[in-house]
Amino acid sequence: MTIAWTGRQRGAKGLEHAIREVFRHRRPEPWCWAAVVEAVCAGEANGDANAATAQAGPAVSGHADLIADRLDELLGGFARTRGYSIEVLALALAGMGDVRALPGLRRLAQDGQLPSGRPRARLLAALPAEDLLPALLPGLREDQPEYHGSTFALELLAAWGPAAAPAAPEAVRYLETAYAYDALRVLGRIGPPAAGAADRLAACATGRVPRAGRHLRGRAAWAHWRVTGDDGLALDVCGAAVGSGSGSRGLPFLAALGPAAAAHADAVRGLMESPGAWTRVAAAHAYWRITGDPEPAVPVLVAEVDPAWTGRPALPVEEAVRRLGEIGAPAASAAPLLHRILGSQERLGHPFKGVRILADQAYARTLAEALERMGRGADAPYRKG
């Protein structure tokens, strides 16, 4: 397959410009992505071009056949030195939900070279768990798991949810490691198929596991509720955390419990005036989930949506947008602001290049989904002034 881009655009300078454009703009000219993908598939790309292609996802879906063909070539003559090239191409296909990524990912897993990092794990979540999970299990069983590989694998298992049930025993094993918080999230997302872990989760939630710090108790209580259907422990543990003022440890889980947490509604509402922005957002969301009343929550959430946000994780801008979207039509007053942000050509500038496109695509997707959920009230475009 040949990618058409003009002679004027060819050459090193044209490629450098294309790379800058795809990192800077949400909607670069089509020839820019074509130039980047062609260079990667020809083995002539630098690190930035490879990083961009690995993150591109649907933006390069028109070049999927070229990427898949090049991946097949590399797999046919596999050498360790080509592991990174295989990773780039496999991630590009995975980001489109293209199952032609699977042979490359299996080969990487076999060679201990699976990608690392949470954002890359989310790229793989659209692939069928039953086709990829067997390749992950040996790495999860290692005696001394490697940090980035473990967070990658556990993030992927959590994203798969119940489909990751065959990995529940491995997740339980991770409760004794530094990755316990992620393991708790996996077990909770798996739900009832992980019910065999209920006693361990209860022990963790109540502090009867020596290595389980206080920061794990709310997550463990939530996971216990998810696998057993019994919300008593979660209400006690998470309600006590909120009542003690440590809202960040209990609010997300009270939100998940919804109306069952009504006894804690007043304490939750009080935290909507917390000096911490993340706590305010979590409290607003939890109050709405518990009471069904959006009126006090919406202004708190809207106040955190900064159109000049650059992607710094210290600020809960994307989280506030997500929660406004969950509220839906009653939050439609925020729609003009969200339209304005979504219409921006500039990507988020703060995330480093290895995750910048992924972070920006996720933010744009969150904005679009929020507007869709707001429905008719979100139809009006943003107007300055």
Side-chain angles (χ1 to χ4, degrees):
M1 175 180 175
T2 301
I3 301 175
W5 49 301
T6 69
R8 180 179 62 80
Q9 295 157 347
R10 287 187 179 274
K13 288 186 178 180
L15 178 59
E16 289 172 7
H17 176 74
I19 293 169
R20 286 196 299 271
E21 288 293 295
V22 299
F23 274 113
R24 182 180 177 184
H25 294 139
R26 288 179 178 166
R27 293 168 289 277
E29 294 183 50
W31 77 265
C32 294
W33 274 121
V36 171
V37 171
E38 183 180 82
V40 168
C41 290
E44 299 170 353
N46 60 22
D48 284 348
N50 281 310
T53 301
Q55 301 173 70
V60 296
S61 58
H63 314 302
D65 290 343
L66 177 66
I67 295 169
D69 289 346
R70 178 56 178 161
L71 178 58
D72 284 345
E73 290 175 8
L74 291 179
L75 291 173
F78 184 76
R80 273 184 180 273
T81 55
R82 292 179 177 172
Y84 179 64
S85 297
I86 289 174
E87 176 183 323
V88 167
L89 299 171
L91 286 174
L93 291 168
M96 309 173 208
D98 192 322
V99 295
R100 289 179 290 181
L102 289 168
L105 294 169
R106 292 193 192 104
R107 183 68 66 85
L108 292 169
Q110 177 185 329
D111 211 50
Q113 294 183 352
L114 270 174
S116 62
R118 299 180 192 280
R120 290 179 177 83
R122 294 169 197 145
L123 280 177
L124 274 60
L127 297 175
E130 63 271 19
D131 290 335
L132 190 55
L133 185 54
L136 262 66
L137 291 177
L140 289 168
R141 292 167 181 157
E142 291 180 359
D143 289 337
Q144 294 183 322
E146 188 268 331
Y147 174 74
H148 291 293
S150 295
T151 54
F152 170 89
L154 293 170
E155 182 74 21
L156 181 54
L157 295 177
W160 278 334
E170 283 69 31
V172 170
R173 175 177 166 272
Y174 271 72
L175 295 177
E176 303 297 329
T177 72
Y179 318 101
Y181 197 84
D182 288 310
L184 290 168
R185 185 162 169 257
V186 171
L187 292 167
R189 290 283 182 87
I190 290 174
D199 289 344
R200 294 282 299 280
L201 296 174
C204 184
T206 54
R208 289 184 281 121
V209 175
R211 296 183 60 183
R214 296 183 64 86
H215 69 289
L216 296 178
R217 294 183 185 178
R219 175 68 75 184
W222 165 83
H224 181 270
W225 164 60
R226 290 276 299 164
V227 305
T228 66
D230 182 354
D231 61 12
L233 181 60
L235 288 169
D236 288 345
V237 172
C238 300
V242 168
S244 69
S246 55
S248 60
R249 292 180 180 168
L251 286 169
F253 311 120
L254 291 182
L257 288 160
H264 304 290
D266 289 343
V268 169
R269 182 159 186 171
L271 289 170
M272 289 164 64
E273 298 178 4
S274 167
W278 275 96
T279 299
R280 291 195 299 272
V281 167
H285 174 240
Y287 185 80
W288 169 70
R289 287 278 295 129
I290 292 167
T291 67
D293 181 6
E295 187 173 347
V298 169
V300 173
L301 296 171
V302 172
E304 301 304 327
V305 183
D306 181 1
W309 185 55
T310 61
R312 291 185 179 274
L315 299 174
V317 176
E318 185 172 3
E319 181 72 2
V321 172
R322 181 177 294 109
R323 301 316 183 187
L324 286 166
E326 289 180 15
I327 291 173
S333 61
L337 176 59
L338 304 192
H339 271 295
R340 171 188 172 188
I341 298 170
L342 185 59
S344 173
Q345 170 72 326
E346 297 289 320
R347 292 195 189 277
L348 298 174
H350 176 74
F352 68 91
K353 284 187 175 179
V355 297
R356 181 177 301 163
I357 295 172
L358 289 178
D360 186 74
Q361 287 174 337
Y363 186 39
R365 190 162 51 247
T366 299
L367 288 160
E369 289 172 356
L371 287 165
E372 183 178 1
R373 290 181 175 187
M374 289 174 186
R376 288 187 179 180
D379 290 342
Y382 173 79
R383 289 191 179 132
K384 293 183 179 180

